[in-house]
Amino acid sequence: MNFNDFHNWIYKEFKINLHAYKPEQLNRRINSLMSRIGIKTLEEYKKLLLVNEDERQRFFDFITINVTEFFRNPELFKELEENLKKYIQSNNNLKIWSAACSIGCEPYSIAMILNEINPLGRNNIIATDIDMTILKKAMLGEYQITEMKNVSDFYLKKYFKEVNNKFIIDNKIKSMVKFKRHDLILDDYEKGFDLIVCRNVIIYFKNETKKEIFEKFVDSLKKGGLLFVGATESIYNYKDFGLEKVSTFIYRKA
Protein backbone atom coordinates (compact mmCIF):
# COMPACT_ATOMS: atom_id res chain seq x y z
CA MET A 1 0.00 0.00 0.00
CA ASN A 2 1.37 3.45 -0.94
CA PHE A 3 0.35 6.82 0.53
CA ASN A 4 -2.14 7.53 -2.23
CA ASP A 5 -3.90 4.24 -1.53
CA PHE A 6 -3.83 5.00 2.19
CA HIS A 7 -5.35 8.45 1.64
CA ASN A 8 -8.09 6.90 -0.49
CA TRP A 9 -8.81 4.35 2.23
CA ILE A 10 -8.99 7.04 4.93
CA TYR A 11 -11.55 8.93 2.86
CA LYS A 12 -13.63 5.82 2.19
CA GLU A 13 -13.53 4.66 5.80
CA PHE A 14 -13.62 7.93 7.78
CA LYS A 15 -14.70 10.62 5.26
CA ILE A 16 -11.54 12.70 5.77
CA ASN A 17 -10.02 14.03 2.55
CA LEU A 18 -6.25 13.81 3.01
CA HIS A 19 -5.73 14.61 -0.69
CA ALA A 20 -6.43 18.26 0.18
CA TYR A 21 -3.35 18.47 2.42
CA LYS A 22 0.18 19.26 1.27
CA PRO A 23 1.46 15.70 0.66
CA GLU A 24 5.07 16.15 1.80
CA GLN A 25 4.10 17.56 5.20
CA LEU A 26 1.21 15.16 5.68
CA ASN A 27 3.09 11.99 4.78
CA ARG A 28 6.02 13.04 6.93
CA ARG A 29 3.60 13.42 9.87
CA ILE A 30 2.06 10.00 9.21
CA ASN A 31 5.52 8.39 9.04
CA SER A 32 6.47 10.10 12.29
CA LEU A 33 3.33 8.84 14.03
CA MET A 34 3.86 5.30 12.74
CA SER A 35 7.45 5.37 13.91
CA ARG A 36 6.42 6.47 17.41
CA ILE A 37 4.18 3.43 17.84
CA GLY A 38 6.47 0.94 16.10
CA ILE A 39 4.43 0.48 12.91
CA LYS A 40 6.50 -0.14 9.76
CA THR A 41 3.99 -0.34 6.89
CA LEU A 42 0.83 1.52 5.89
CA GLU A 43 -1.01 -1.79 5.53
CA GLU A 44 -0.15 -2.65 9.13
CA TYR A 45 -1.21 0.84 10.24
CA LYS A 46 -4.52 0.55 8.38
CA LYS A 47 -5.32 -2.67 10.27
CA LEU A 48 -4.45 -1.01 13.58
CA LEU A 49 -6.70 1.98 12.91
CA LEU A 50 -9.63 -0.33 12.17
CA VAL A 51 -9.46 -2.17 15.49
CA ASN A 52 -7.87 0.25 17.96
CA GLU A 53 -10.06 3.24 18.87
CA ASP A 54 -7.33 4.98 20.91
CA GLU A 55 -4.84 4.86 18.03
CA ARG A 56 -7.54 5.98 15.62
CA GLN A 57 -8.20 9.05 17.77
CA ARG A 58 -4.48 9.68 18.09
CA PHE A 59 -4.26 9.65 14.28
CA PHE A 60 -7.15 12.13 13.93
CA ASP A 61 -5.60 14.43 16.54
CA PHE A 62 -2.18 14.22 14.90
CA ILE A 63 -3.49 14.93 11.41
CA THR A 64 -5.83 17.79 12.37
CA ILE A 65 -3.10 19.63 14.34
CA ASN A 66 -4.96 20.48 17.55
CA VAL A 67 -2.50 23.09 18.84
CA THR A 68 -4.26 26.08 20.35
CA GLU A 69 -4.41 28.55 23.24
CA PHE A 70 -6.51 31.52 24.32
CA PHE A 71 -5.79 34.80 22.48
CA ARG A 72 -3.10 33.18 20.33
CA ASN A 73 -0.99 36.08 19.02
CA PRO A 74 -2.50 38.60 21.49
CA GLU A 75 -1.57 41.63 19.38
CA LEU A 76 -3.69 40.26 16.53
CA PHE A 77 -6.66 39.70 18.83
CA LYS A 78 -6.27 43.32 19.94
CA GLU A 79 -6.53 44.38 16.29
CA LEU A 80 -9.62 42.19 15.92
CA GLU A 81 -11.17 43.82 18.97
CA GLU A 82 -10.59 47.31 17.56
CA ASN A 83 -12.14 46.33 14.23
CA LEU A 84 -15.14 44.76 15.95
CA LYS A 85 -15.69 47.97 17.93
CA LYS A 86 -15.99 49.85 14.64
CA TYR A 87 -18.17 47.14 13.11
CA ILE A 88 -20.75 47.06 15.92
CA GLN A 89 -21.37 50.79 15.58
CA SER A 90 -23.54 49.89 12.57
CA ASN A 91 -24.55 46.34 13.55
CA ASN A 92 -24.50 44.96 17.09
CA ASN A 93 -26.24 41.65 16.36
CA LEU A 94 -23.32 39.53 15.23
CA LYS A 95 -23.20 36.09 13.62
CA ILE A 96 -19.69 34.67 13.97
CA TRP A 97 -18.04 31.45 12.82
CA SER A 98 -14.91 30.05 14.43
CA ALA A 99 -13.84 27.40 11.91
CA ALA A 100 -11.48 24.55 12.88
CA CYS A 101 -11.91 25.67 16.49
CA SER A 102 -10.07 22.74 18.13
CA ILE A 103 -10.67 22.66 21.93
CA GLY A 104 -12.56 25.97 21.97
CA CYS A 105 -9.93 28.50 23.08
CA GLU A 106 -10.52 30.66 19.99
CA PRO A 107 -14.35 30.98 20.09
CA TYR A 108 -14.29 31.48 23.85
CA SER A 109 -11.66 34.23 23.39
CA ILE A 110 -14.02 35.96 20.94
CA ALA A 111 -16.96 35.47 23.31
CA MET A 112 -15.06 37.21 26.13
CA ILE A 113 -14.16 40.13 23.85
CA LEU A 114 -17.76 40.50 22.70
CA ASN A 115 -19.10 40.31 26.23
CA GLU A 116 -16.95 43.34 27.03
CA ILE A 117 -17.47 45.47 23.92
CA ASN A 118 -20.97 44.40 22.86
CA PRO A 119 -22.79 43.20 26.02
CA LEU A 120 -26.25 44.30 24.84
CA GLY A 121 -25.99 42.83 21.35
CA ARG A 122 -27.09 39.38 20.23
CA ASN A 123 -23.81 37.55 19.67
CA ASN A 124 -24.31 34.22 17.92
CA ILE A 125 -21.01 32.30 17.80
CA ILE A 126 -20.82 29.01 15.90
CA ALA A 127 -17.66 26.96 16.46
CA THR A 128 -16.83 23.96 14.30
CA ASP A 129 -14.20 21.27 13.94
CA ILE A 130 -13.86 17.98 12.08
CA ASP A 131 -13.01 16.05 15.27
CA MET A 132 -15.94 15.18 17.58
CA THR A 133 -13.65 14.15 20.45
CA ILE A 134 -12.01 17.57 20.38
CA LEU A 135 -15.43 19.27 20.23
CA LYS A 136 -16.57 17.40 23.35
CA LYS A 137 -13.52 18.79 25.17
CA ALA A 138 -14.39 22.27 23.88
CA MET A 139 -17.94 21.97 25.21
CA LEU A 140 -16.57 20.96 28.61
CA GLY A 141 -14.66 24.25 28.90
CA GLU A 142 -11.81 23.04 31.14
CA TYR A 143 -8.25 24.11 30.35
CA GLN A 144 -4.63 23.56 31.38
CA ILE A 145 -2.28 26.32 32.51
CA THR A 146 -0.34 26.03 29.22
CA GLU A 147 -3.44 27.14 27.29
CA MET A 148 -3.91 30.21 29.52
CA LYS A 149 -0.60 32.03 29.03
CA ASN A 150 -2.08 34.93 27.02
CA VAL A 151 -5.16 35.46 29.22
CA SER A 152 -4.99 38.81 31.04
CA ASP A 153 -5.52 39.02 34.79
CA PHE A 154 -8.77 40.86 34.11
CA TYR A 155 -10.20 38.05 31.96
CA LEU A 156 -8.76 35.37 34.25
CA LYS A 157 -10.49 36.74 37.34
CA LYS A 158 -13.74 37.57 35.58
CA TYR A 159 -14.27 34.52 33.38
CA PHE A 160 -12.41 31.57 34.91
CA LYS A 161 -12.48 29.51 38.07
CA GLU A 162 -9.44 27.45 39.05
CA VAL A 163 -10.26 23.96 40.35
CA ASN A 164 -7.65 21.21 40.84
CA ASN A 165 -5.11 22.96 38.59
CA LYS A 166 -7.67 23.33 35.79
CA PHE A 167 -9.25 26.56 34.62
CA ILE A 168 -13.01 26.31 34.09
CA ILE A 169 -14.63 28.91 31.89
CA ASP A 170 -17.64 30.92 33.03
CA ASN A 171 -21.07 29.50 32.10
CA LYS A 172 -22.15 32.76 30.50
CA ILE A 173 -19.24 32.59 28.06
CA LYS A 174 -19.93 28.90 27.41
CA SER A 175 -23.55 29.68 26.59
CA MET A 176 -22.49 32.16 23.89
CA VAL A 177 -20.87 29.43 21.77
CA LYS A 178 -22.59 26.61 19.89
CA PHE A 179 -20.29 23.76 18.85
CA LYS A 180 -20.88 21.37 15.97
CA ARG A 181 -18.94 19.13 13.61
CA HIS A 182 -17.98 20.54 10.22
CA ASP A 183 -15.49 19.54 7.53
CA LEU A 184 -14.04 22.59 5.74
CA ILE A 185 -13.34 20.53 2.62
CA LEU A 186 -16.43 18.36 2.26
CA ASP A 187 -19.34 20.15 3.96
CA ASP A 188 -21.54 23.07 2.89
CA TYR A 189 -20.96 26.49 4.48
CA GLU A 190 -23.63 28.58 6.22
CA LYS A 191 -24.17 32.13 5.01
CA GLY A 192 -24.62 35.57 6.55
CA PHE A 193 -21.61 35.82 8.86
CA ASP A 194 -20.32 39.13 10.20
CA LEU A 195 -17.00 37.53 11.16
CA ILE A 196 -15.27 34.29 10.17
CA VAL A 197 -12.20 33.25 12.14
CA CYS A 198 -10.02 30.46 10.74
CA ARG A 199 -6.44 30.47 11.98
CA ASN A 200 -3.42 28.21 11.60
CA VAL A 201 -5.25 25.54 9.59
CA ILE A 202 -5.30 26.68 5.96
CA ILE A 203 -1.50 26.60 5.86
CA TYR A 204 -1.57 22.78 5.79
CA PHE A 205 -3.72 22.57 2.63
CA LYS A 206 -2.73 22.54 -1.03
CA ASN A 207 -3.07 25.84 -2.90
CA GLU A 208 -6.15 24.75 -4.85
CA THR A 209 -7.86 23.72 -1.60
CA LYS A 210 -6.93 27.04 0.03
CA LYS A 211 -8.45 28.90 -2.91
CA GLU A 212 -11.71 26.95 -2.67
CA ILE A 213 -11.95 27.55 1.08
CA PHE A 214 -11.29 31.29 0.80
CA GLU A 215 -13.90 31.57 -1.95
CA LYS A 216 -16.44 29.80 0.27
CA PHE A 217 -15.55 31.98 3.25
CA VAL A 218 -16.10 35.16 1.24
CA ASP A 219 -19.40 33.80 -0.09
CA SER A 220 -20.45 33.11 3.52
CA LEU A 221 -19.67 36.64 4.73
CA LYS A 222 -22.09 39.53 4.68
CA LYS A 223 -20.98 42.56 2.68
CA GLY A 224 -18.49 44.34 4.93
CA GLY A 225 -17.97 41.19 7.02
CA LEU A 226 -14.54 40.36 8.41
CA LEU A 227 -12.21 37.38 7.86
CA PHE A 228 -9.51 36.78 10.49
CA VAL A 229 -6.71 34.35 9.56
CA GLY A 230 -3.60 33.00 11.29
CA ALA A 231 -0.27 34.73 11.80
CA THR A 232 1.35 32.73 8.99
CA GLU A 233 -1.56 32.90 6.57
CA SER A 234 -1.54 36.29 4.84
CA ILE A 235 -3.75 36.26 1.72
CA TYR A 236 -1.43 37.92 -0.80
CA ASN A 237 -4.01 37.91 -3.62
CA TYR A 238 -6.88 39.05 -1.37
CA LYS A 239 -8.34 41.33 -4.06
CA ASP A 240 -8.94 38.27 -6.26
CA PHE A 241 -11.39 37.03 -3.62
CA GLY A 242 -13.22 40.36 -3.34
CA LEU A 243 -11.52 41.29 -0.08
CA GLU A 244 -10.01 44.49 1.28
CA LYS A 245 -7.11 44.44 3.74
CA VAL A 246 -8.06 45.88 7.12
CA SER A 247 -4.86 44.92 8.96
CA THR A 248 -2.11 42.35 8.53
CA PHE A 249 -4.29 39.28 9.04
CA ILE A 250 -7.83 40.75 8.94
CA TYR A 251 -9.76 41.25 5.70
CA ARG A 252 -13.13 42.78 4.84
CA LYS A 253 -15.56 41.63 2.18
CA ALA A 254 -15.71 44.51 -0.31
Side-chain angles (χ1 to χ4, degrees), residues 5-23:
D5 293 334
F6 182 74
H7 296 175
N8 288 338
W9 176 77
I10 289 290
Y11 178 73
K12 182 179 177 183
E13 192 70 29
F14 304 115
K15 292 294 180 284
I16 296 176
N17 184 6
L18 298 184
H19 292 293
Y21 291 74
K22 293 176 181 174

Side-chain angles (χ1 to χ4, degrees), residues 179-197:
F179 291 96
K180 64 180 183 179
R181 187 188 184 279
H182 182 271
D183 186 326
L184 282 170
I185 299 164
L186 299 176
D187 292 338
D188 293 334
Y189 290 22
E190 283 190 40
K191 300 286 196 296
F193 289 104
D194 298 284
L195 168 67
I196 296 175
V197 181

Side-chain angles (χ1 to χ4, degrees), residues 43-59:
E43 188 66 45
E44 188 182 354
Y45 193 37
K46 167 185 165 182
K47 292 175 182 175
L48 179 68
L49 293 178
L50 278 174
V51 299
N52 190 313
E53 187 176 343
D54 289 341
E55 289 301 335
R56 190 160 61 242
Q57 187 57 49
R58 190 202 298 247
F59 172 76

Side-chain angles (χ1 to χ4, degrees), residues 22-251:
K22 293 176 181 174
E24 296 83 6
Q25 290 181 345
L26 175 66
N27 296 340
R28 199 161 50 238
R29 291 178 65 78
I30 294 172
N31 271 328
S32 175
L33 183 52
M34 288 168 55
S35 177
R36 288 186 193 184
I37 57 179
I39 297 289
K40 294 183 176 163
T41 69
L42 289 167
E43 188 66 45
E44 188 182 354
Y45 193 37
K46 167 185 165 182
K47 292 175 182 175
L48 179 68
L49 293 178
L50 278 174
V51 299
N52 190 313
E53 187 176 343
D54 289 341
E55 289 301 335
R56 190 160 61 242
Q57 187 57 49
R58 190 202 298 247
F59 172 76
F60 293 152
D61 290 348
F62 204 70
I63 293 306
T64 51
I65 329 275
N66 287 307
V67 178
T68 187
E69 61 198 30
F70 285 93
F71 301 99
R72 189 173 183 180
N73 310 113
E75 69 285 358
L76 301 186
F77 268 93
K78 195 65 186 172
E79 288 182 12
L80 177 66
E81 180 177 339
E82 294 307 313
N83 278 282
L84 283 174
K85 284 178 181 177
K86 297 173 189 174
Y87 190 92
I88 61 179
Q89 290 173 6
S90 58
N91 178 13
N92 70 344
N93 296 324
L94 302 185
K95 182 179 179 182
I96 293 168
W97 179 17
S98 172
C101 70
S102 187
I103 58 174
C105 296
E106 182 179 89
Y108 287 142
S109 295
I110 296 165
M112 287 185 276
I113 290 172
L114 287 176
N115 197 57
E116 293 300 319
I117 68 172
N118 192 34
L120 301 179
R122 291 201 305 273
N123 302 307
N124 174 21
I125 303 172
I126 299 166
T128 66
D129 201 274
I130 195 172
D131 188 336
M132 277 306 302
T133 301
I134 289 298
L135 287 174
K136 287 175 183 173
K137 184 173 180 182
M139 293 174 200
L140 192 61
E142 295 182 0
Y143 295 94
Q144 306 294 329
I145 185 66
T146 53
E147 290 143 2
M148 307 294 296
K149 64 180 183 180
N150 297 319
V151 181
S152 67
D153 288 342
F154 174 79
Y155 279 134
L156 198 60
K157 290 172 184 175
K158 186 169 183 178
Y159 293 121
F160 292 90
K161 179 170 62 175
E162 187 176 359
V163 179
N164 297 327
N165 295 319
K166 288 185 178 180
F167 292 84
I168 301 171
I169 202 156
D170 181 78
N171 282 332
K172 181 177 181 182
I173 299 302
K174 279 178 73 172
S175 70
M176 291 173 65
V177 183
K178 179 184 178 183
F179 291 96
K180 64 180 183 179
R181 187 188 184 279
H182 182 271
D183 186 326
L184 282 170
I185 299 164
L186 299 176
D187 292 338
D188 293 334
Y189 290 22
E190 283 190 40
K191 300 286 196 296
F193 289 104
D194 298 284
L195 168 67
I196 296 175
V197 181
C198 186
R199 309 183 70 230
N200 310 303
V201 175
I202 304 295
I203 191 173
Y204 297 104
F205 294 138
K206 294 177 180 176
N207 286 336
E208 57 265 35
T209 304
K210 288 182 189 177
K211 180 176 181 291
E212 290 173 9
I213 290 174
F214 284 138
E215 287 173 346
K216 291 178 183 177
F217 279 158
V218 173
D219 190 46
S220 292
L221 283 170
K222 292 179 183 175
K223 185 178 179 181
L226 302 173
L227 174 63
F228 182 31
V229 300
T232 56
E233 296 172 326
S234 285
I235 309 172
Y236 298 107
N237 58 333
Y238 58 88
K239 291 180 181 178
D240 294 345
F241 296 105
L243 293 168
E244 302 167 342
K245 197 166 189 176
V246 176
S247 65
T248 314
F249 300 100
I250 300 173
Y251 304 84

